[in-house]
Amino acid sequence: MPGPDSRQTTGRRGESAARTELERRGYAILATGFRTKCGEIDLVARDGATLVFVEVRTRRGGRCGTAAESVTRRKQLQVARMARAYLATEGGGDGPCRFDVVAIDYDGACSEPRIVVYQAAFDAP
């Protein structure tokens, strides 16, 4: 079983891969690791006129399911609360907003991850 350092390394690697993929798709990254009292927003970006709150999920192997499957309803609610905190402190809520998920799955046999970007993955309650 991997230790906490191993999970943190995987998470950092995943966030870096997500950022690279989003920038390749034309997103402008505004913030990384934005901390709120409810937790941390992985990435905040602009996709055209839309402000995007991005949850990055990274998994190694499939023992605990895929990265995308790990974004539970509870996590969605937490991300929505963090997004409201971001808008309250940083502004930018006068235009459209959405929640994207970047799911990154590393297969033990392959060094290149499978990266899937789910635009508008969920709605805020």
Side-chain angles (χ1 to χ4, degrees):
M1 175 108 158
D5 290 338
S6 174
R7 281 196 316 270
Q8 289 173 352
T9 299
T10 299
R12 283 193 299 272
R13 216 169 119 198
E15 286 182 18
S16 176
R19 181 182 182 135
T20 299
E21 177 62 20
L22 293 175
E23 288 175 333
R24 186 187 71 74
R25 291 173 180 233
Y27 288 54
I29 305 300
L30 304 177
T32 59
F34 183 84
R35 289 211 169 270
T36 73
K37 69 178 182 171
C38 301
E40 183 179 285
I41 301 173
D42 295 326
L43 298 169
V44 181
R46 281 233 176 255
D47 183 19
T50 303
L51 185 63
V52 184
F53 298 96
V54 183
E55 176 65 15
V56 179
R57 300 304 271 195
T58 308
R59 290 286 181 268
R60 288 178 304 193
R63 276 194 335 247
C64 298
T66 67
E69 291 170 334
S70 71
V71 183
T72 63
R73 183 67 181 152
R74 181 177 177 183
K75 184 61 176 179
Q76 292 171 17
L77 294 170
Q78 181 185 21
V79 172
R81 281 192 305 273
M82 293 184 295
R84 284 192 290 276
Y86 177 91
L87 293 171
T89 60
E90 302 296 315
D94 50 343
C97 296
R98 75 170 189 250
F99 296 94
D100 288 5
V101 171
V102 178
I104 302 169
D105 290 288
Y106 286 93
D107 179 358
C110 179
S111 62
E112 289 299 312
R114 182 174 161 269
I115 302 172
V116 180
V117 177
Y118 297 93
Q119 290 186 335
F122 59 90
D123 294 317

